[in-house]
């Protein structure tokens, strides 16, 4: 159905509902209250339902009015998406992007930022490590990458899956020398393991073939970078994303061990403000990061 007048009336309906009164909309837009009221009446007549229950001082949405409002918001979001697509096609990325990243992936991500900057010189970055950010932080971030479980029902952020990162078991050359090529993770003592966990509670190791419970590991940490540092120091064996250990593998600070075992992949997601807050530059950067990870991720 193509009815431009309906779209216009739905737009004013959203405006009236969000500001809470015809007077507020009239004051903000300069359109007469009588004109606004007539538009909403026309909308109700067109749809054949009552959208607002009017009182002497305020109005309330009817049940069907709430449904129409929700659907009308999707219409506005779709219009904004069309506008954003056009902007992306004609504008070159630029400006400041504030980003948080997991420290364990910082080497890879910073290299991608460099390539992005080379392609789009007008871009600037403000970078923070994920573990440095507290709940009291008042910094507004344009983009956050995380390996932690992301909320699924939040209205404050938009979560996008980026890649299922392949993992492996890593140890220092000294620890690796104590193992054989056929050693499996099931044969490794708890006291040789470095695992994720909260407080003193270690998390199990999730493998393609099953779950390895860990009771008394050498070290427990909620931070993957800490596990990597501990593995480099020779404290034990850690399960880590391969993309986060490329430099250490190249310099022989870490080696892969227990290669017959395949850990489950770790999901990397991006988090951004709600749809209307994301910029074309941020969208392009997310695409660039995702494309560069194809060689380190399992197919979807």
């Amino acid at each position: 159905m193509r009815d431009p007048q309906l779209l216009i009336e739905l737009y004013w309906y959203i405006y009236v509902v969000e500001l809470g009164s015809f007077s507020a909309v009239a004051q903000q837009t300069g359109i007469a209250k009588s004109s606004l009221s007539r538009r909403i009446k026309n909308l109700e007549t067109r749809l054949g339902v009552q959208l607002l229950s009017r009182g002497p001082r305020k109005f309330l949405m009817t049940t069907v009015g709430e449904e129409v409002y929700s659907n009308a918001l999707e219409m506005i979001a779709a219009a904004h998406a069309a506008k954003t697509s056009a902007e992306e096609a004609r504008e070159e990325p630029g400006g400041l992007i504030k980003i948080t990243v997991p420290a364990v992936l910082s080497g890879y991500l910073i290299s991608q930022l460099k390539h992005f900057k080379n392609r789009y010189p007008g871009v600037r970055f403000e970078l923070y490590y994920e573990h440095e950010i507290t709940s009291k932080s008042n910094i507004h971030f344009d983009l956050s990458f995380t390996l932690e479980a992301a909320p699924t029902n939040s209205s404050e952020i938009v979560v996008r899956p980026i890649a299922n990162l392949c993992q492996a078991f890593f140890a220092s050359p000294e620890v690796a020398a104590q193992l054989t090529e056929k050693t499996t993770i099931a044969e490794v003592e708890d006291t040789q393991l470095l695992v994720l966990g909260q407080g003193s509670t270690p998390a199990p190791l999730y493998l393609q073939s099953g779950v390895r419970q860990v009771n008394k590991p050498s070290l427990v940490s909620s931070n993957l970078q800490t596990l990597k540092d501990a593995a480099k120091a020779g404290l034990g064996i850690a399960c880590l994303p391969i993309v986060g250990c490329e430099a250490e593998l190249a310099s022989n600070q870490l080696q892969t061990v227990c290669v017959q075992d395949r850990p489950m992949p770790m999901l990397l997601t991006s988090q951004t403000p709600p749809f209307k807050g994301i910029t074309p530059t941020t969208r392009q950067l997310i695409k660039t990061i995702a494309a560069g990870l194809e060689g380190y991720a399992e197919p979807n």
Side-chain angles (χ1 to χ4, degrees), residues 92 114-122 284 288:
E92 181 172 292
K114 176 188 174 183
H115 296 319
F116 194 75
K117 173 87 173 166
N118 289 342
R119 185 176 180 185
Y120 305 110
Q284 186 59 46
T288 299

Side-chain angles (χ1 to χ4, degrees), residues 43-62:
L43 178 60
E44 290 178 320
T45 300
R46 186 187 302 272
L47 298 178
V49 294
Q50 183 179 358
L51 301 174
L52 300 177
S53 177
R54 297 164 177 81
R57 293 191 177 183
K58 64 178 182 178
F59 61 77
L60 297 174
M61 280 190 291
T62 62

Side-chain angles (χ1 to χ4, degrees), residues 243-254:
V243 66
C245 301
E246 287 287 87
E248 289 76 15
L249 286 171
S251 62
N252 201 38
Q253 292 178 284
L254 288 175

Side-chain angles (χ1 to χ4, degrees), residues 186-239:
E187 298 170 320
V188 175
E189 297 289 337
D190 280 10
T191 52
Q192 290 180 282
L193 296 175
L194 315 168
V195 297
L196 285 171
Q198 295 293 332
S200 59
T201 304
L205 296 171
Y206 294 97
L207 311 174
Q208 302 278 7
S209 58
V211 179
R212 160 70 199 272
Q213 298 294 336
V214 183
N215 297 311
K216 296 180 179 180
S218 175
L219 182 143
V220 177
S221 175
S222 61
N223 189 314
L224 285 169
Q225 180 63 39
T226 300
L227 298 186
K228 185 168 81 167
D229 290 341
K232 287 162 56 178
L235 277 176
I237 300 168
C239 182

Side-chain angles (χ1 to χ4, degrees), residues 149-159 271 274:
T152 57
N153 58 352
S154 174
S155 61
E156 297 181 0
I157 59 172
V158 176
V159 179
Q271 299 181 8

Side-chain angles (χ1 to χ4, degrees), residues 110-129:
I110 289 174
S111 70
Q112 291 298 303
L113 297 184
K114 176 188 174 183
H115 296 319
F116 194 75
K117 173 87 173 166
N118 289 342
R119 185 176 180 185
Y120 305 110
V123 176
R124 296 178 292 117
F125 304 107
E126 194 170 306
L127 187 66
Y128 298 82
Y129 289 134

Side-chain angles (χ1 to χ4, degrees), residues 8 42 60 144 152 244 259 282 289:
I8 293 170
N42 289 343
L60 297 174
S144 296
T152 57
V259 293
T282 302
I289 297 294

